[in-house]
Amino acid sequence: MYIEHLSLQNFRNYARLEVSLPTGPILLYGSNAQGKTSLLEAIYYLATSRSPYTTTDRQLINWNADPDLLAFAKIGAEVVSAFRPLSRVEVTLVQEPGALHSSLNGSRLQKEIRINGVPRRVMDLIGQINVVMFLPQDLVLVEGAPSERRRYMNITLCQTDATYCEALATFEKALTQRNALLRRIADGEARPDELGYWNEQLAQAGGVLIAGRQRLLRDLEVKARRVHRDLSGGDEDLELSYQPSFLPTANNSGQLSFQVLGLDLNRQLKASDIAAQYVETLEARQGEDIARGMTLIGPQRDELRLLVNGRDLGLYGSRGQARTAVMSLKLAELEWMRDAVGEWPILLLDEVIAELDAARRAYLLDRISGAEQVLLTTTEPDIFTPEFLQKATRWHIRQGQIIMPQDGSG
Amino acid sequence: MSKAIPQSVTNLIEAFSRLPGVGPKTASRLTYYLLRAPDELSQTLAAALADLKSKTRYCSVCFNITEEDPCPICQDEARDASQVVVVEDPLDVLAVERTGAYTGRYHVLHGAISPVEGIGPEDLKIRELVERVQQGGVLEVIIATNPGMEGDATAMYVQRQLAPTGVRVTRLARGLPTGGDLEYVDSVTLLRALQGRHEM
């Protein structure tokens, strides 16, 4: 899969950009704050409907845009896939009228999505473009809060599994409603018997989420373990451990499929079995939920841990081990996504090459050499080997402009 | 607002801004249009606004908005009192009426259960519906709340409340839009349509 054409309007520091993208590696170089990363961000946004960097979409809109006009930003791309005819995806972010005078971060944005010119939902956008992104900040997958790892699983699964994505949206909506209801019950404004419907919604969707994550992690673990062994010279054994906030068991055997370390990834549970047990647990622990005013069990509280040689990396690992594990996980994700969609996703590597030693740089570049399209950013193009630079298209990025080299000028 | 604008103008702009779908620009445009238009227009508008709240009330039977109680539909002997369609809002009554095929009566809940917005079952006209059914004469309650999460929660709650009365409770079917294209239907809708398929 690759992007043939990218257009940006008022996106970050790009006032307007229309550019055709070649296949193969594209090396974006230039000083800091010129707009290299913004190009990667735009593509990532089209793939996932969110930015990898910011939590408020308002920041994506060009800060030089005329403040008197309605603020908006537009990202569009033409995507070529082996399985579909050329498709054109487009996202427009428009500031909602009436919100003009509210605080910048608080104001709401309308997201308009068009696929081949037809207005669509966010849900339909996700999966049109498949990307895997490598970022220096990926280290939070080991060192960060549990929510970072849940977010990682959600985004990865959403890109390939529309059912998971629908379930996630339903789950989040039902969770918000149930939590609000719990607080109303605690305040004496509602009765516990009103919980029934929300429990059911939560469990149906939650079952799909847990089963989906189990499937993902089983595959990721096999692949990540192999990469990690390569990178660590065979010394280290990487494990992924999913630790659910309640204990779903396989239905027929009656045996606990929960181990001390987490869910047994090799004994796949059915979403409907998980849902039934989830409802039971929600009902059993209702009192606690009401007292705390929030739902304490479910996929929104589950944990993913990374272990090396049986020891928890987040707690006992060194920085170096954490970096290796993250790279293993990301390369596993890449391989997994390629298997899941049947073709290479687009790769986005933001400044990660500079952080690696020569051996790992070579290993990474070798692993991704088969990709149809790779966008890399760097401030120092010299760190790449001459062979790589030979193959790559090099673009100099300066102040929101792409400066393409004339033929022969290098 | 700037000092260049008299207070009475500012007041109307701000009042318009509080309406749904009206931003500050539209509010200003409406206000200045009224300033230039003949006096008669603003007087008619003012009178209509005043009547809106003073002359209307809820129908004591179905809780639709009405000027006379009971409302014309509830008074209409030609309409079948044994069938009741339950909707969230008065506008939904109009939608069902537009089909021209429904000859029963209505019950308006005035909202849907949504804990986030602080709307619980006691804020809706659910108790009134149960009482209405208990009084007898109703054979079927057709629940026509919106097909979203809140509408479904409301439907399920209403159904549970009505269960002891033994009345027949049905829910509107969901499925494909007429004139639609199967290829472009979202997967949830298609799944519902598949589940709700019927013999032909």
Side-chain angles (χ1 to χ4, degrees), chain A residues 325-344:
Chain A
V326 164
M327 190 165 148
S328 308
L329 193 63
K330 295 303 288 190
L331 283 170
E333 176 192 338
L334 166 60
E335 212 181 309
W336 177 84
M337 197 168 289
R338 201 183 57 200
D339 290 353
V341 299
E343 63 182 326
W344 280 83

Short mmCIF file of all heavy atoms in Angstrom, two decimals, chain A residues 325-344:
data_model
loop_
_atom_site.label_atom_id
_atom_site.label_comp_id
_atom_site.label_asym_id
_atom_site.label_seq_id
_atom_site.Cartn_x
_atom_site.Cartn_y
_atom_site.Cartn_z
N ALA A 325 13.01 -3.88 23.52
CA ALA A 325 11.67 -4.47 23.58
C ALA A 325 10.69 -3.67 22.72
O ALA A 325 9.86 -4.24 22.01
CB ALA A 325 11.19 -4.53 25.02
N VAL A 326 10.80 -2.34 22.77
CA VAL A 326 9.88 -1.50 21.99
C VAL A 326 10.10 -1.73 20.49
O VAL A 326 9.15 -1.88 19.73
CB VAL A 326 10.07 -0.01 22.34
CG1 VAL A 326 9.43 0.87 21.30
CG2 VAL A 326 9.47 0.28 23.70
N MET A 327 11.36 -1.82 20.11
CA MET A 327 11.65 -2.05 18.69
C MET A 327 11.13 -3.43 18.28
O MET A 327 10.58 -3.58 17.18
CB MET A 327 13.15 -1.96 18.45
CG MET A 327 13.52 -1.95 16.99
SD MET A 327 15.22 -1.39 16.78
CE MET A 327 15.68 -2.32 15.35
N SER A 328 11.27 -4.42 19.14
CA SER A 328 10.76 -5.76 18.84
C SER A 328 9.25 -5.71 18.67
O SER A 328 8.68 -6.31 17.75
CB SER A 328 11.10 -6.73 19.97
OG SER A 328 12.45 -6.68 20.27
N LEU A 329 8.59 -4.99 19.57
CA LEU A 329 7.14 -4.90 19.53
C LEU A 329 6.67 -4.20 18.26
O LEU A 329 5.73 -4.63 17.59
CB LEU A 329 6.65 -4.13 20.77
CG LEU A 329 5.18 -4.20 21.08
CD1 LEU A 329 4.75 -5.63 21.39
CD2 LEU A 329 4.84 -3.31 22.29
N LYS A 330 7.35 -3.11 17.89
CA LYS A 330 6.93 -2.37 16.71
C LYS A 330 7.17 -3.18 15.43
O LYS A 330 6.35 -3.17 14.52
CB LYS A 330 7.69 -1.03 16.61
CG LYS A 330 7.40 -0.04 17.72
CD LYS A 330 5.94 0.31 17.85
CE LYS A 330 5.44 1.18 16.73
NZ LYS A 330 4.09 1.71 17.02
N LEU A 331 8.30 -3.89 15.38
CA LEU A 331 8.55 -4.72 14.19
C LEU A 331 7.56 -5.88 14.12
O LEU A 331 7.13 -6.29 13.04
CB LEU A 331 10.00 -5.23 14.19
CG LEU A 331 11.03 -4.18 13.77
CD1 LEU A 331 12.45 -4.68 14.02
CD2 LEU A 331 10.86 -3.80 12.29
N ALA A 332 7.18 -6.39 15.30
CA ALA A 332 6.17 -7.45 15.35
C ALA A 332 4.83 -6.92 14.85
O ALA A 332 4.12 -7.57 14.09
CB ALA A 332 6.04 -7.98 16.77
N GLU A 333 4.52 -5.69 15.27
CA GLU A 333 3.27 -5.05 14.85
C GLU A 333 3.23 -4.91 13.33
O GLU A 333 2.20 -5.16 12.69
CB GLU A 333 3.18 -3.68 15.53
CG GLU A 333 1.99 -2.84 15.11
CD GLU A 333 2.13 -1.40 15.59
OE1 GLU A 333 2.89 -1.14 16.54
OE2 GLU A 333 1.47 -0.53 15.00
N LEU A 334 4.37 -4.50 12.78
CA LEU A 334 4.47 -4.34 11.33
C LEU A 334 4.19 -5.66 10.61
O LEU A 334 3.40 -5.71 9.67
CB LEU A 334 5.89 -3.84 11.03
CG LEU A 334 6.38 -3.89 9.59
CD1 LEU A 334 5.49 -3.05 8.71
CD2 LEU A 334 7.81 -3.38 9.52
N GLU A 335 4.83 -6.71 11.10
CA GLU A 335 4.66 -8.03 10.48
C GLU A 335 3.22 -8.50 10.63
O GLU A 335 2.61 -9.05 9.72
CB GLU A 335 5.60 -9.01 11.19
CG GLU A 335 6.13 -10.12 10.33
CD GLU A 335 7.03 -11.04 11.15
OE1 GLU A 335 7.94 -10.52 11.83
OE2 GLU A 335 6.78 -12.25 11.15
N TRP A 336 2.66 -8.25 11.82
CA TRP A 336 1.28 -8.65 12.12
C TRP A 336 0.30 -7.95 11.18
O TRP A 336 -0.61 -8.55 10.63
CB TRP A 336 0.96 -8.32 13.58
CG TRP A 336 -0.45 -8.63 13.96
CD1 TRP A 336 -0.95 -9.83 14.35
CD2 TRP A 336 -1.55 -7.71 13.97
NE1 TRP A 336 -2.29 -9.72 14.60
CE2 TRP A 336 -2.69 -8.43 14.38
CE3 TRP A 336 -1.68 -6.35 13.68
CZ2 TRP A 336 -3.94 -7.85 14.51
CZ3 TRP A 336 -2.93 -5.76 13.81
CH2 TRP A 336 -4.04 -6.52 14.22
N MET A 337 0.53 -6.63 11.00
CA MET A 337 -0.39 -5.88 10.16
C MET A 337 -0.28 -6.32 8.70
O MET A 337 -1.28 -6.39 7.98
CB MET A 337 -0.12 -4.38 10.30
CG MET A 337 -1.29 -3.57 9.77
SD MET A 337 -1.19 -1.85 10.22
CE MET A 337 -1.51 -1.88 11.96
N ARG A 338 0.94 -6.65 8.30
CA ARG A 338 1.13 -7.13 6.93
C ARG A 338 0.36 -8.44 6.73
O ARG A 338 -0.29 -8.64 5.72
CB ARG A 338 2.63 -7.33 6.68
CG ARG A 338 3.01 -7.33 5.21
CD ARG A 338 4.48 -7.61 5.05
NE ARG A 338 4.82 -8.88 5.67
CZ ARG A 338 6.05 -9.23 6.05
NH1 ARG A 338 7.04 -8.40 5.90
NH2 ARG A 338 6.26 -10.41 6.58
N ASP A 339 0.42 -9.32 7.72
CA ASP A 339 -0.33 -10.58 7.63
C ASP A 339 -1.83 -10.32 7.63
O ASP A 339 -2.59 -10.94 6.91
CB ASP A 339 0.00 -11.49 8.82
CG ASP A 339 1.43 -12.03 8.74
OD1 ASP A 339 2.07 -11.79 7.70
OD2 ASP A 339 1.88 -12.65 9.70
N ALA A 340 -2.26 -9.37 8.49
CA ALA A 340 -3.69 -9.13 8.66
C ALA A 340 -4.33 -8.51 7.43
O ALA A 340 -5.45 -8.87 7.07
CB ALA A 340 -3.93 -8.25 9.89
N VAL A 341 -3.63 -7.56 6.78
CA VAL A 341 -4.25 -6.91 5.63
C VAL A 341 -3.75 -7.46 4.30
O VAL A 341 -4.29 -7.16 3.25
CB VAL A 341 -4.09 -5.36 5.65
CG1 VAL A 341 -4.75 -4.78 6.86
CG2 VAL A 341 -2.63 -4.96 5.59
N GLY A 342 -2.69 -8.27 4.34
CA GLY A 342 -2.22 -8.92 3.13
C GLY A 342 -1.27 -8.09 2.29
O GLY A 342 -0.90 -8.48 1.19
N GLU A 343 -0.88 -6.92 2.76
CA GLU A 343 0.13 -6.13 2.06
C GLU A 343 0.85 -5.25 3.07
O GLU A 343 0.39 -5.07 4.20
CB GLU A 343 -0.50 -5.27 0.96
CG GLU A 343 -1.48 -4.23 1.47
CD GLU A 343 -2.13 -3.42 0.36
OE1 GLU A 343 -1.46 -3.16 -0.65
OE2 GLU A 343 -3.30 -3.05 0.51
N TRP A 344 1.99 -4.70 2.67
CA TRP A 344 2.76 -3.86 3.58
C TRP A 344 2.00 -2.59 3.94
O TRP A 344 1.51 -1.90 3.05
CB TRP A 344 4.09 -3.44 2.93
CG TRP A 344 5.16 -4.46 2.98
CD1 TRP A 344 5.34 -5.50 2.12
CD2 TRP A 344 6.23 -4.55 3.93
NE1 TRP A 344 6.45 -6.23 2.48
CE2 TRP A 344 7.02 -5.67 3.58
CE3 TRP A 344 6.60 -3.79 5.05
CZ2 TRP A 344 8.15 -6.04 4.31
CZ3 TRP A 344 7.73 -4.16 5.77
CH2 TRP A 344 8.48 -5.29 5.40
#
